[in-house]
Amino acid sequence: MSDGRPESDDKPWTDPDAVPFLQVKNLTKRFGAFTAVDSVSLDVYKGEIFCLLGGSGCGKSTLLRLLSGFEEATAGQIIIDGQDQEGVPPYARETNMMFQSYALFPHMSVEKNIAYGLKRDGLPKAEIATRVTDMLSLVQMDGFATRKPHQLSGGQKQRVALARSLIKKPKLLLLDEPLGALDKKLREETQFELITIQESLGVTFVVVTHDQEEAMTLSSRIGVMNAGQIVQVGTPHEIYEYPQSRFVADFIGSVNLFEGRITADHEDHVIISSPESGTDIFVPHGISGVEGQQVALAVRPEKLQISKSPLENLRNTMKGTIEEIAYMGNESVFQVLLDSGKQVRISQSNRMRTTDHTLTWDDQVYIGWNDDASVVLSS
Amino acid sequence: MSAVPESRSRKPGRNSARAPGSRLIGAALSRLGFSGRSLVIAIPGVWLLLFFLLPLLVVAKISLSEAAIARPPYLPLWEWSEGFLNVRLNLGNYLFLLDDPLYIAAYVESVRIAAISTLITLMIGYPMAYLIARSAPETRNILLMLVILPFWTSFLLRVYAWIGFLKANGIINNFLMSLGIINDPLVMLQTDFAVYVGIVYTYLPFMILPLYANLVKLDISLFEASADLGARPLTTFFTVTLPLSVNGIIAGCMLVFIPAVGEFVIPALLGGPDTLMIGRVLWDEFFSNRDWPIASAVAIVMLFVLLIPIMLLRRVQAADEEVEG
Amino acid sequence: MKSRSRLLQMVGLLGFIFLYAPILSLVIYSFNESKLVTVWGGFSTRWYGELFRDPQILGAAWISVKIAFLSASIAIVIGTLASFVLIRFARFRAKSLLSMLITAPLVMPEVIIGLSLLLLFVAMEGVIGWPGGRGLVTIIIAHSTFGAAYAAVVIQSRLVDMDLSIEEAAQDLGAKPVRVFFDITLPVIAPALVSAWLLAFTLSLDDLVIASFVSGPGASTLPMVIFSKVRLGVSPDVNALATIIIGLVSLGVIVAALQMNRSKRQSEQR
C-alpha cells in the first residue's frame, strides 16, 4: 500500500481529514425480486476519475443511473457536494451523463446538441455561443458545428457527446462505457485525451466500464463490482498487485490460484500446505489468519519463472511439463502441467528477438516465484 | 463558472417559478390529484371509454329493449314509476334471432364466405409475400409499395371497378366473347363468386403484409442449412419455411377473416339478392326496417361470433411482440 | 430450382395484374366518350367536365375533406398520447384496458362501430341534449376514434424503435419531461406522425359504412354519394372521380416513399 507520506493533493483518499465529494451510503436498488445494487457504500473525491469495473449485469450501470437520477434507490443515500440527492429528478441534478450510445439528438446540429443544456438554464445567447465555441475547440471539433450527428464518424460522435455533457460544468460527470463503441486503436488514443480534458476542467468523473485495460489507464481509483456489490476499491496498482479476493484476482488480469491450508502461522511468515501444488508454500509475511484456515495463494503468470534447470535461489519451486506454448508477440505464455496434476500459466516477455527458444513442448521444467510475488487470499 | 453553478444549485421546482400563475394552476391540479401524468393518460382514456366502450354497452342495452314506434324507436329498459325502479329485460330479440332461420343462415353464410375467401387470399398472398421477401432489397421496397398502394386508394372505388369487369356486358365477358370462347355472357355479377372476388381483391394487402413481415425475418441461412443437410427445396418449404411462418399465416388470415365476416359494401355491390351476409342484414334491419333493438342484437351476436378469431389474432400479435422485445 | 423460381415469379406477376387491372380499367374508361362504361366510344374528357359541374359531388367532396382533415388531426393527438402512455409509462392499473381499447377498433366490423356510435349519440342527446342532431361533428368523432387506432399502431412502432437514452440525455441536461416530449420525442417521431396523419386522413376519406350510420341530413360524404350512384350501376363520372383520386394517392405514396427512403438512408449512416 502507500508508504504513508501525506499525499492529500493527488491521493485525497489517503487523507483522513479530506471530505469526499460524492458519498454513497448503503445504496440499494431492487427490481422486483432482483437486487441490482446491494448496499453499496462509496466515497469519491473531487477531481478523481473513478472507474466502476465489472462484468455485464454486475450492477455498475444501475449504480450510474442511480447517481444520475434515472432510477430511484430502494434504500440508501447519495450525497453530492454535501447535498442529499433524494427526490431530485435528473433534470435538476448537478450531474451530467455521457451515454454509451452517445444519445445525440438526431434532429439537431452539433452546436445545437452542445448548446441544449445551456439553453435549458436560460443563459444569454451570446454566452451560450462563446461557451459552445470554446467547448468545440476543447474537444477538437471546430469546423463541425453545423453538421448533423449522422454525418459524423464514431469518434467524432464520442467527442460531441463528451462536449455536450461537459458544457454545463457538472459537479459530477457520469460516463457509461465512454470508449466502448470505438475500435481498439482509436480507443487507446482517446483514453489519454479524456484524461487531459478531465485534468484541464477539474470535473470529477465516474466511469462505468467492463474493460479492465480502460479502467487501468483512466482511473485514479477503481471500484470492482460483482453481483451488485463493490468488492474492492483501490488504485489500479493496488487492485492488480494486492487483490483482496479470489474474484478480483481472477477478474483483473490472469492469475494462478493455489488452494491450501495455513499450517504454520508466525508473525513474520506463514506456511501454506497446498496439496494442489504438491508442496508447502512459504509466504514471507504474517497474515491475519488462523492455523488450519482454508486460503488461496495467487501468483500472476508474469511473476513466475520457468527454467529447465532447478531454480535454486527460490524458496517456492515446483516441477512440471510444458503442455502448450502460445507466442503472442510481446510475450510468450506457457501452460505447464505440474507433477501434482495442476495446470499453471507462466508468461515471459520477449525482450529480445532471439529469446531462449529452447523451451518446447513436453520439456520437463521447473517453475517458481520470488517470496514477495504471491498474495494470500482468504475470501 | 459564474452563472451556471448558481442557476443549477437552485432547488428543484423553483426553476418553474417564472410563471406564478401556471404554478398555481399546477398546484391546484396536483392537490385535486391530477398530475401531468394522469392528464396524459386521461385524454385518450376518456375518449376511448366514451366513444368506443360506452357505445358497445349502449348496443348491449338496446338489444334487450323492445322495439316501438317512437323516437328513438325502442322502449326504455328501466323506468321509475311510483317509487319503484322497473327493469324490463327483454330477451325476445335474441329469441327472435334464434327462431328465424334467416338470421342463422346469414351468420353461417357470412362465416362460410369469409372462410373461403380467406383461404383463396392465403393461396394468392403467400407466394406473393414469399416472392417479395426473397427478392433483392431494392426491388423489395418497390414491390411492397405496389402492394400497399391500392390499399390507399378508395376501397369503395376498387369494389366498384369489379362491376365493370364482371357484369354481363363487362370487360371479361366482352373479352371472352370476342375470342369466341363463349357465346353467351357468363353470369358473374350478383353471385357469390363476385363476392369472393371482391373480398380477395380488397383484402389481399392485409394478407401479404403480415406474411411478408414474418417471412422477411427468417434467416436465409436456415434454408441453406436445410439444403446442406440434404433437404430438397420443396421439403425445405414444408419442414422449415411453413412451420416458421405459422404466426404470419394466422395473423394474415384473421386480418382478412374478421372484417370479411362483417362486410357490407362488397355483398351490397357485387352480391346477389340471395347473398345473405350478416353485415348487410344488420344494415337492412337498421335502415330499412328501423328495428334498432333487433339490429343491436344482431351486432352483439356478431361480436360473439368474432370473439374467438379476435382473441387468436391478439395472441399471435402478443407472441410476435415478445419475440421482438 | 430454376423453373420453380420462374413459376413463383409467374404467380407473383399474376397477383400484381390482379391487383392493378381493375384500377387501370377505371382510369382507361374514365376517358371513354361512350356513356356505356365498358364499350369504347373514343377518347374524351367529357366526364371530367361533368364531374366538375356536379354540385352534389363537389359539395360532398368538400365535406369529406373537411371531416378527414379534422378527424385525422384529432386522431394523431389521441393516438400519440395513447402510444406514449403505452410505451413510455410504467405499468399502471388500467394500462391493459387502454391497450385493448386503442387496438379494438382495428378488428371491430365497421357496421358495429357505426351502429354503436349512432345509438350512443341518440342516447346522449336524450340525456344531456348533446350532440343535438347528427352531421359533421358526429362523423368527425367517429372517424377520430378509429383513425386514432390506426395512428397508434404506426406511432407505437416508431416509439418502440426510438433510443430511450436520447430522451434521458435531454432530461439529464436540464429539460423537464414535458419539455423533453416537445423538444426531442416529437421531432424524432415526426415522420411517423405524418404517416399516421395521412393514414387517418385516407381512412376517413374512404369510409362509407360508419359515416352512413352517424351522418345526418345535409352531411353526405363523398363515399355516401358515390355509393348511391354506383348502386344503380356504373356511371362514367365516377370513373373520372376515381382516376383523380388514384392519381393523387399515387403521387402522395410515391413522394412519401422517396422521403422515407431518404430518411432511412440517413439513419443507416448514423
Side-chain angles (χ1 to χ4, degrees):
Chain A
M1 295 279 273
S2 135
D3 53 9
R5 74 188 151 87
E7 290 176 300
S8 44
D9 257 8
D10 58 335
K11 290 188 178 173
W13 51 92
T14 58
D15 177 0
D17 295 331
V19 183
F21 190 67
L22 162 70
Q23 286 171 285
V24 175
K25 293 178 181 170
N26 298 316
L27 199 64
T28 298
K29 174 69 187 177
R30 286 191 203 95
F31 297 103
F34 174 69
T35 306
V37 173
D38 190 359
S39 190
V40 164
S41 292
L42 187 67
D43 288 338
V44 176
Y45 294 85
K46 204 173 171 87
E48 270 202 83
I49 298 187
F50 191 93
C51 274
L52 290 165
L53 175 63
S56 61
C58 73
K60 57 189 192 307
S61 293
T62 309
L63 182 52
L64 203 69
R65 291 175 63 80
L66 285 163
L67 292 176
S68 59
F70 292 124
E71 304 285 353
E72 254 175 84
T74 314
Q77 224 183 353
I78 298 169
I79 296 168
I80 299 172
D81 198 13
Q83 288 177 327
D84 191 337
Q85 300 294 309
E86 172 147 12
V88 182
Y91 53 82
R93 283 204 189 189
E94 292 162 80
T95 60
N96 281 132
M97 178 137 158
M98 189 182 143
F99 290 82
Q100 183 173 12
S101 64
Y102 306 139
L104 299 179
F105 308 134
H107 57 298
M108 295 185 195
S109 64
V110 165
E111 79 194 324
K112 289 242 170 71
N113 260 285
I114 297 176
Y116 189 81
L118 297 179
K119 277 198 191 140
R120 295 288 77 72
D121 280 351
L123 292 196
K125 270 196 179 144
E127 190 184 340
I128 295 179
T130 356
R131 280 175 62 174
V132 169
T133 317
D134 292 350
M135 188 51 80
L136 276 171
S137 67
L138 181 71
V139 296
Q140 301 169 27
M141 286 289 286
D142 344 53
F144 290 89
T146 55
R147 295 259 188 115
K148 284 280 186 71
H150 64 85
Q151 297 167 308
L152 301 177
S153 72
Q156 291 167 336
K157 280 185 211 171
Q158 193 260 0
R159 285 154 192 274
V160 176
L162 182 65
R164 189 181 68 178
S165 58
L166 279 171
I167 192 98
K168 292 182 85 165
K169 298 178 185 157
K171 288 188 170 171
L172 203 59
L173 184 67
L174 309 166
L175 302 96
D176 191 359
E177 306 272 1
L179 309 171
L182 305 180
D183 57 45
K184 191 169 161 40
K185 193 125 185 119
L186 196 56
R187 196 158 61 212
E188 281 166 6
E189 292 167 21
T190 317
Q191 279 172 3
F192 294 105
E193 281 178 24
L194 206 58
I195 297 174
T196 318
I197 289 174
Q198 190 266 346
E199 280 172 351
S200 73
L201 295 176
V203 174
T204 310
F205 278 24
V206 175
V207 181
V208 153
T209 180
H210 70 276
D211 180 339
Q212 41 168 304
E213 232 176 274
E214 191 174 309
M216 293 295 222
T217 5
L218 282 178
S219 41
S220 57
R221 286 188 304 151
I222 295 174
V224 182
M225 285 192 76
N226 183 35
Q229 294 178 315
I230 294 199
V231 288
Q232 189 175 351
V233 175
T235 61
H237 180 256
E238 286 164 2
I239 295 278
Y240 187 78
E241 299 293 350
Y242 304 99
Q244 287 166 356
S245 61
R246 290 179 178 86
F247 175 81
V248 175
D250 198 36
F251 185 75
I252 313 285
S254 55
V255 75
N256 295 300
L257 287 174
F258 300 97
E259 299 289 339
R261 213 159 35 77
I262 301 174
T263 50
D265 182 13
H266 301 282
E267 202 148 297
D268 61 343
H269 75 273
V270 288
I271 305 291
I272 294 168
S273 152
S274 168
E276 247 188 5
S277 63
T279 172
D280 286 352
I281 298 168
F282 178 87
V283 180
H285 52 79
I287 57 167
S288 54
V290 289
E291 258 175 53
Q293 192 185 343
Q294 195 71 36
V295 292
L297 194 88
V299 190
R300 298 280 182 202
E302 74 275 11
K303 297 199 166 56
L304 283 168
Q305 296 176 25
I306 182 167
S307 162
K308 277 192 188 171
S309 50
L311 297 155
E312 272 157 2
N313 56 334
L314 297 180
R315 238 187 298 222
N316 298 311
T317 65
M318 295 148 199
K319 225 169 128 247
T321 319
I322 295 181
E323 279 190 322
E324 289 291 347
I325 305 173
Y327 175 74
M328 325 266 281
N330 60 341
E331 59 172 14
S332 294
V333 177
F334 301 90
Q335 185 174 304
V336 173
L337 181 67
L338 298 183
D339 292 352
S340 63
K342 181 170 174 63
Q343 286 177 333
V344 291
R345 288 172 152 245
I346 301 140
S347 67
Q348 278 198 321
S349 70
N350 298 327
R351 231 164 290 161
M352 281 167 287
R353 277 202 179 159
T354 52
T355 336
D356 187 8
H357 287 305
T358 56
L359 288 171
T360 179
W361 282 267
D362 295 333
D363 275 358
Q364 292 285 318
V365 290
Y366 294 87
I367 66 148
W369 63 87
N370 278 325
D371 286 351
D372 64 351
S374 63
V375 181
V376 179
L377 305 170
S378 54
S379 62
Chain B
M1 268 309 256
S2 58
V4 181
E6 233 171 87
S7 74
R8 296 212 59 158
S9 61
R10 279 188 199 156
K11 284 274 179 291
R14 268 231 233 130
N15 278 344
S16 62
R18 249 177 285 163
S22 73
R23 201 185 50 163
L24 277 180
I25 294 168
L29 280 175
S30 65
R31 199 156 307 147
L32 287 170
F34 282 114
S35 61
R37 192 185 135 95
S38 45
L39 199 69
V40 169
I41 298 173
I43 292 171
V46 169
W47 181 286
L48 289 166
L49 284 177
L50 194 59
F51 296 123
F52 184 74
L53 196 60
L54 188 59
L56 292 179
L57 298 178
V58 173
V59 172
K61 189 198 120 189
I62 291 174
S63 75
L64 296 171
S65 324
E66 229 172 293
I69 300 174
R71 272 181 84 96
Y74 56 88
L75 293 178
L77 202 53
W78 48 72
E79 243 173 358
W80 283 101
S81 61
E82 297 156 20
F84 288 98
L85 178 67
N86 290 327
V87 180
R88 253 178 302 180
L89 279 189
N90 173 19
L91 290 172
N93 300 317
Y94 290 96
L95 293 176
F96 182 69
L97 293 191
L98 279 178
D99 217 33
D100 192 333
L102 172 110
Y103 293 102
I104 296 174
Y107 283 113
V108 173
E109 269 296 281
S110 302
V111 170
R112 189 181 65 85
I113 291 178
I116 292 174
S117 319
T118 304
L119 266 182
I120 302 171
T121 316
L122 176 65
M123 265 144 35
I124 300 175
Y126 199 101
M128 288 181 74
Y130 187 86
L131 186 79
I132 299 172
R134 287 285 151 267
S135 53
E138 309 86 57
T139 358
R140 196 189 289 164
N141 282 340
I142 293 169
L143 292 179
L144 214 53
M145 207 183 73
L146 284 175
V147 170
I148 298 170
L149 200 121
F151 170 76
W152 286 84
T153 61
S154 168
F155 174 81
L156 187 58
L157 290 173
R158 277 182 296 140
V159 175
Y160 160 74
W162 279 99
I163 298 180
F165 259 68
L166 296 176
K167 63 179 188 171
N169 57 348
I171 293 171
I172 293 178
N173 276 324
N174 284 354
F175 180 68
L176 291 180
M177 285 198 287
S178 70
L179 289 183
I181 296 174
I182 51 170
N183 293 323
D184 300 309
L186 297 170
V187 181
M188 291 181 287
L189 197 62
Q190 303 200 329
T191 63
D192 283 1
F193 170 75
V195 176
Y196 293 141
V197 170
I199 294 178
V200 171
Y201 178 67
T202 46
Y203 289 105
L204 191 56
F206 289 93
M207 179 66 82
I208 294 179
L209 292 180
L211 277 175
Y212 162 80
N214 185 294
L215 287 170
V216 80
K217 272 186 291 188
L218 295 187
D219 188 353
I220 192 118
S221 57
L222 286 175
F223 308 117
E224 290 169 351
S226 168
D228 183 57
L229 294 169
R232 290 153 163 280
L234 217 56
T235 319
T236 301
F237 178 79
F238 281 110
T239 56
V240 179
T241 320
L242 205 57
L244 283 175
S245 53
V246 121
N247 274 0
I249 293 175
I250 295 177
C253 286
M254 292 305 112
L255 284 177
V256 175
F257 180 78
I258 294 166
V261 169
E263 186 53 58
F264 164 74
V265 174
I266 296 170
L269 287 183
L270 302 180
D274 56 336
T275 311
L276 265 181
M277 284 189 78
I278 201 65
R280 211 172 157 191
V281 171
L282 192 155
W283 179 285
D284 289 341
E285 285 299 346
F286 184 83
F287 286 105
S288 311
N289 301 348
R290 276 184 69 78
D291 192 338
W292 292 15
I294 287 285
S296 300
V298 168
I300 294 294
V301 173
M302 196 198 302
L303 263 189
F304 277 103
V305 168
L306 291 178
L307 214 55
I308 292 170
I310 288 175
M311 270 160 40
L312 199 61
L313 178 66
R314 274 191 78 88
R315 235 181 55 189
V316 177
Q317 285 171 335
D320 263 14
E321 269 161 35
E322 226 161 77
V323 169
E324 274 160 29
Chain C
M1 191 70 199
K2 266 273 155 57
S3 68
R4 196 165 287 124
S5 71
R6 188 153 310 153
L7 186 77
L8 199 63
Q9 280 173 1
M10 280 293 291
V11 174
L13 188 69
L14 284 175
F16 281 108
I17 291 175
F18 175 61
L19 275 181
Y20 280 90
I23 295 177
L24 221 62
S25 79
L26 282 183
V27 175
I28 292 169
Y29 281 102
S30 75
F31 296 105
N32 187 3
E33 169 69 38
S34 160
K35 188 162 175 62
L36 294 167
V37 171
T38 47
V39 178
W40 187 254
F43 181 86
S44 153
T45 53
R46 117 177 208 222
W47 303 111
Y48 289 86
E50 279 197 13
L51 185 69
F52 285 112
R53 280 189 297 273
D54 185 337
Q56 198 198 4
I57 284 200
L58 291 183
W62 176 233
I63 287 175
S64 276
V65 168
K66 273 196 289 194
I67 291 173
F69 185 87
L70 287 170
S71 60
S73 308
I74 298 172
I76 61 160
V77 173
I78 297 169
T80 307
L81 288 176
S83 308
F84 194 77
V85 167
L86 289 176
I87 304 292
R88 288 287 191 267
F89 279 18
R91 196 167 278 282
F92 58 94
R93 253 171 298 152
K95 194 169 176 177
S96 55
L97 175 69
L98 184 67
S99 155
M100 208 197 74
L101 285 180
I102 194 77
T103 47
L106 299 176
V107 289
M108 192 64 61
E110 290 170 317
V111 280
I112 297 183
I113 297 184
L115 175 71
S116 67
L117 273 167
L118 170 70
L119 296 183
L120 173 85
F121 291 138
V122 171
M124 274 173 84
E125 219 180 313
V127 179
I128 60 169
W130 186 85
R134 288 171 298 282
L136 286 190
V137 174
T138 50
I139 303 178
I140 289 170
I141 290 175
H143 283 185
S144 304
T145 307
F146 82 88
Y150 281 88
V153 172
V154 177
I155 298 167
Q156 275 187 61
S157 73
R158 181 71 194 94
L159 271 180
V160 166
D161 285 346
M162 184 176 165
D163 181 5
L164 211 80
S165 58
I166 296 175
E167 288 171 3
E168 288 182 343
Q171 228 188 72
D172 183 61
L173 292 165
K176 290 184 192 166
V178 175
R179 179 107 224 172
V180 174
F181 181 75
F182 285 104
D183 275 5
I184 308 298
T185 316
L186 273 191
V188 170
I189 64 170
L193 293 184
V194 172
S195 0
W197 191 90
L198 286 173
L199 184 60
F201 184 85
T202 315
L203 288 168
S204 166
L205 212 55
D206 203 18
D207 168 66
L208 165 72
V209 174
I210 297 174
S212 299
F213 275 97
V214 297
S215 157
S220 288
T221 63
L222 190 57
M224 287 162 73
V225 171
I226 296 175
F227 185 67
S228 61
K229 265 181 175 290
V230 300
R231 230 185 174 177
L232 308 171
V234 283
S235 75
D237 50 344
V238 172
N239 280 24
L241 182 67
T243 305
I244 293 172
I245 292 179
I246 290 164
L248 287 176
V249 166
S250 313
L251 198 74
V253 168
I254 289 166
V255 168
L258 290 177
Q259 191 68 30
M260 214 129 84
N261 255 2
R262 217 186 64 183
S263 64
K264 199 183 234 172
R265 221 170 296 137
Q266 281 182 358
S267 69
E268 269 161 17
Q269 282 168 0
R270 212 171 284 160

